[in-house]
């Protein structure tokens, strides 16, 4: 589970679109309104859309104006201490609103709710409702309970729950790209990670409900779906009637066959589980994007063992080589943790050299943040001093900036098929879109009659470290 920065970015870009926003629906249709904020990974963002659907059925309308809300929900992340501090600070900002609107309820959802459970109610008196990632169906009852003045909690984890029958309401959508969750939970026990404790055991969603949702999105004009899971490569679903088993590669193919006009992305992969079958399926279909997010976390086999990542440096590099062999123009991104317990300068250099070998297009980079309850917190001392963690992280970021700039430089003069997602941030005279390699490309609209959701070929003329700039050809 990775990618903290993703969410806020998606929110901002999406605000331009408002194509399928529930906010567009006449608010007078609803007796009460809810306001929801999502923090952390794409899974949380998609969960908020599932929560919106459950509340909508109960007659709650979505509002973007927190002052208007009868219900405020924060869908939280627990991956690092900083993520939880952000939530606690946000809660203090609701104090004033609650004083002016006594009946208003405040709820905390997601991984922080699951990690802290009822303790959160003691620590944050403002909070009325605490709900874990597997208990969103119980929200209507919990709201009723809280409306009587009681505190309401449900943090039961499930081995079955996939919300397969609930069609998410797209919040702040650009009307072009959408997340589709294919599985929940994680069976890996990376020693630094809270996810197995906050999202429970792995379970794969019924393949038919995934295809139905993706087809429905395509028929509504969406042109890209991202299949979501903590570790998508271990997707495995068996039809109890026919005993037909569906692997991730088979699922990818089924989604790609919905329409060649529908782009397919997925996140997140695990180096130990990504198969040649998946790589050949990506290579076979033009509409399955040539981009793989392949967290490495560390380049040192000794540290990888302490992290319980279940692969070695050599295994990881072999996977990267295999990806480039089967899909030569595939973009790869990673997650990297600097300063894990007992990390030496030599281990750190191993991480820098894995980055150089893998030539990442971009990465999510953090320094180790001990999470109580994890294996690492129980077994190892968090012994790398903060200043060394920060210095090593700075070196990793500098390495990545160099690699990203080099990767974009290599694209100068090339032409890419781009899916238009909306206006560029800088000017309404320019479109913003992405290549199959998930690179952001900005180009002038000129007098081409194009719209969001259209594909267009763009020749790259210049670039920054983060963005390619081009013209329509
Ligand atoms: S694969 Fe590891 S890091 Fe990712 S969610 Fe599972 S336990 Fe956490």
């Amino acid at each position: 589970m990775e990618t903290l920065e993703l969410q806020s970015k998606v929110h901002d870009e999406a605000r331009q679109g408002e194509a399928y926003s529930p906010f567009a629906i006449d608010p007078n249709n609803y007796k009460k309104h809810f306001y929801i904020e999502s923090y952390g990974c794409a899974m949380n963002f998609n969960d908020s859309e599932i929560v919106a659907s459950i509340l909508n059925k109960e007659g709650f309308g979505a509002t973007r104006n927190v002052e208007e809300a009868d219900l405020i929900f924060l869908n939280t992340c627990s991956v690092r201490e900083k993520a939880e501090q952000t939530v606690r600070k946000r809660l203090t900002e609701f104090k004033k609103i609650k004083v002016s609107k006594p009946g208003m309820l405040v709820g905390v959802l997601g991984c922080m709710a699951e990690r802290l459970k009822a303790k959160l109610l003691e620590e944050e008196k403002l909070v009325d409702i605490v709900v874990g990632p597997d208990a969103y169906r119980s929200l209507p009852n919990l709201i009723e309970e809280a409306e009587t003045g009681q505190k309401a909690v449900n943090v039961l984890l499930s081995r079955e729950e996939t919300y397969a029958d609930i069609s998410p309401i797209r919040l702040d959508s650009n009307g072009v790209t959408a997340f589709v969750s294919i599985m929940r939970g994680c069976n890996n026990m990376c020693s630094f990670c809270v996810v197995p404790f906050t999202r429970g055991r792995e379970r794969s969603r019924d393949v038919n409900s995934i295809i139905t949702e993706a087809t429905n999105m395509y028929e509504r004009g969406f042109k890209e779906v991202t299949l979501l899971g903590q570790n998508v490569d271990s997707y495995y679903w068996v039809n109890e009637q026919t005993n037909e088993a569906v692997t991730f590669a088979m699922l990818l193919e089924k989604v790609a066959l919905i329409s060649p006009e529908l782009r397919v992305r997925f996140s997140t992969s695990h180096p130990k589980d990504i198969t040649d079958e998946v790589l050949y399926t990506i290579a076979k279909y033009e509409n399955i994007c040539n981009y793989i997010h392949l967290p490495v976390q560390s380049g040192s086999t000794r540290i990888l063992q302490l992290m319980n990542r279940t692969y070695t440096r050599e295994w990881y590099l072999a996977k990267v080589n295999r990806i480039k062999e089967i899909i030569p123009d595939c973009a790869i991104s990673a997650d990297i943790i600097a300063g894990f317990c007992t990390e030496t300068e030599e281990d750190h250099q191993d991480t820098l050299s894995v980055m150089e070998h893998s030539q990442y297009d971009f990465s999510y980079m953090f320094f180790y943040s001990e999470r109580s309850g994890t294996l690492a917190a129980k077994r190892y001392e968090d012994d790398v001093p903060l200043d060394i963690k920060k210095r090593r992280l700075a070196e990793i970021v500098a390495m990545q900036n160099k690699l990203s700039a080099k990767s974009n430089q290599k694209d100068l003069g090339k032409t890419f098929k781009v899916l238009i997602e909306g206006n560029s941030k800088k000017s309404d005279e320019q479109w913003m879109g992405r290549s199959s390699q998930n690179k952001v490309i900005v180009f002038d609209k000129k007098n081409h009659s194009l719209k969001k959701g259209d594909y267009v070929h763009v020749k790259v003329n210049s670039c920054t470290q983060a963005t390619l700039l081009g013209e329509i050809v």
Side-chain angles (χ1 to χ4, degrees):
M1 189 258 336
E2 286 79 22
T3 56
L4 189 64
E5 268 71 22
L6 180 67
Q7 289 323 301
S8 51
K9 195 155 154 294
V10 169
H11 270 275
D12 303 342
E13 270 159 16
R15 285 219 164 84
Q16 287 159 17
E18 293 199 35
Y20 291 92
S21 162
F23 304 109
I25 301 162
D26 176 0
N28 301 322
N29 284 355
Y30 299 99
K31 62 181 187 333
K32 284 198 172 180
H33 295 91
F34 69 91
Y35 171 91
I36 188 163
E37 281 179 12
S38 315
Y39 293 84
C41 65
M43 290 293 293
N44 254 6
F45 188 67
N46 187 242
D47 278 359
S48 296
E49 298 181 326
I50 289 167
V51 166
S53 184
I54 292 169
L55 294 175
N56 221 240
K57 281 206 184 61
E58 295 298 313
F60 288 90
T63 175
R64 235 196 238 113
N65 176 354
V66 69
E67 312 282 345
E68 246 183 34
D70 305 289
L71 271 174
I72 292 179
F73 285 117
L74 298 185
N75 191 356
T76 62
C77 170
S78 241
V79 67
R80 271 166 289 282
E81 187 52 30
K82 182 167 167 287
E84 293 196 357
Q85 282 160 8
T86 306
V87 168
R88 291 185 191 277
K89 182 168 167 298
R90 189 70 178 119
L91 284 171
T92 59
E93 290 155 17
F94 296 144
K95 266 206 182 80
K96 287 193 283 318
I97 304 171
K98 190 147 187 183
V99 171
S100 65
K101 207 173 178 180
M104 182 185 75
L105 296 174
V106 175
V108 173
L109 315 177
C111 292
M112 187 178 173
E114 189 65 45
R115 194 178 81 78
L116 295 170
K117 302 182 173 33
K119 203 162 127 251
L120 193 55
L121 295 172
E122 291 143 32
E123 295 173 358
E124 304 288 343
K125 299 289 182 234
L126 184 85
V127 176
D128 306 292
I129 304 172
V130 173
V131 192
D134 286 349
Y136 295 144
R137 286 181 200 273
S138 67
L139 264 171
N141 298 342
L142 295 171
I143 292 167
E144 242 168 65
E145 211 178 312
E147 280 169 345
T148 65
Q150 288 179 64
K151 299 289 184 181
V153 179
N154 185 347
V155 287
L156 284 178
L157 285 174
S158 160
R159 283 178 177 270
E160 284 83 40
E161 183 61 88
T162 63
Y163 302 113
D165 59 322
I166 296 178
S167 51
I169 287 187
R170 305 298 160 176
L171 295 171
D172 289 333
S173 170
N174 59 7
V176 176
T177 62
F179 294 124
V180 174
S181 141
I182 64 168
M183 60 196 299
R184 299 181 71 83
C186 187
N187 285 356
N188 298 313
M189 290 300 285
C190 302
S191 63
F192 55 82
C193 186
V194 290
V195 170
F197 308 100
T198 60
R199 285 185 166 270
R201 306 302 287 171
E202 218 163 72
R203 64 225 96 129
S204 295
R205 180 181 167 189
D206 174 335
V207 68
N208 304 306
S209 71
I210 296 170
I211 301 304
T212 304
E213 185 178 327
T215 307
N216 174 278
M217 300 311 297
Y218 178 64
E219 285 162 357
R220 287 172 54 191
F222 285 75
K223 287 292 182 52
E224 180 184 288
V225 290
T226 299
L227 307 180
L228 286 183
Q230 316 290 164
N231 174 12
V232 291
D233 299 293
S234 58
Y235 176 87
Y236 189 76
W237 181 79
V238 179
N239 181 325
E240 274 150 20
Q241 271 81 46
T242 64
N243 247 350
E244 173 216 5
V246 180
T247 64
F248 182 55
M250 294 160 77
L251 171 66
L252 264 182
E253 181 160 43
K254 286 177 186 290
V255 179
L257 288 169
I258 291 171
S259 163
E261 290 295 298
L262 181 67
R263 265 188 176 174
V264 185
R265 297 187 186 278
F266 57 88
S267 186
T268 294
S269 281
H270 196 293
K272 79 171 168 42
D273 296 322
I274 191 164
T275 60
D276 280 8
E277 207 196 347
V278 167
L279 300 180
Y280 283 119
T281 306
I282 297 172
K284 184 176 170 190
Y285 292 92
E286 187 271 343
N287 60 329
I288 302 180
C289 294
N290 293 354
Y291 161 63
I292 295 174
H293 183 56
L294 196 71
V296 66
Q297 307 298 4
S298 170
S300 150
T301 294
R302 186 183 71 81
I303 295 291
L304 288 170
Q305 274 154 0
L306 292 179
M307 287 177 164
N308 194 29
R309 288 290 286 172
T310 66
Y311 55 83
T312 61
R313 170 191 174 84
E314 291 67 30
W315 172 281
Y316 184 89
L317 292 177
K319 280 292 173 188
V320 169
N321 296 346
R322 195 75 180 132
I323 291 171
K324 296 196 183 224
E325 197 185 311
I326 298 173
I327 317 162
D329 68 347
C330 190
I332 303 177
S333 63
D335 296 311
I336 301 164
I337 295 177
F340 187 72
C341 315
T342 77
E343 186 188 71
T344 63
E345 211 45 50
E346 195 196 340
D347 297 321
H348 172 54
Q349 292 306 323
D350 284 346
T351 297
L352 293 173
S353 62
V354 154
M355 292 177 73
E356 200 126 35
H357 176 99
S358 308
Q359 294 288 304
Y360 295 129
D361 296 271
F362 62 91
S363 294
Y364 299 93
M365 302 156 280
F366 309 93
F367 60 69
Y368 174 59
S369 164
E370 184 181 82
R371 310 303 293 134
S372 71
T374 59
L375 291 178
K378 289 182 189 139
R379 290 187 187 157
Y380 316 124
E381 192 202 340
D382 181 7
D383 58 358
V384 178
L386 186 58
D387 60 337
I388 292 186
K389 281 182 180 178
K390 287 185 173 169
R391 190 261 300 163
R392 289 178 184 165
L393 178 60
E395 288 173 9
I396 288 169
V397 171
M399 165 68 79
Q400 185 54 59
N401 290 346
K402 196 182 76 186
L403 295 173
S404 299
K406 191 173 155 204
S407 162
N408 280 356
Q409 285 289 334
K410 266 194 308 184
D411 291 336
L412 293 180
K414 290 183 186 165
T415 297
F416 291 95
K417 181 180 174 185
V418 174
L419 172 59
I420 299 175
E421 290 182 27
N423 296 340
S424 89
K425 270 210 185 88
K426 293 210 177 81
S427 152
D428 291 353
E429 304 307 308
Q430 294 184 312
W431 286 122
M432 167 273 179
R434 281 167 217 274
S435 66
S436 174
Q437 288 74 16
N438 204 26
K439 288 197 174 175
V440 171
I441 304 188
V442 171
F443 49 98
D444 293 344
K445 292 182 179 179
K446 294 199 175 143
N447 47 21
H448 293 273
S449 58
L450 292 166
K451 61 185 186 318
K452 277 190 315 175
D454 286 349
Y455 289 100
V456 62
H457 284 85
V458 178
K459 183 175 178 203
V460 177
N461 301 332
S462 63
C463 65
T464 67
Q465 181 205 302
T467 308
L468 299 173
L469 305 160
E471 62 177 335
I472 297 172
V473 291

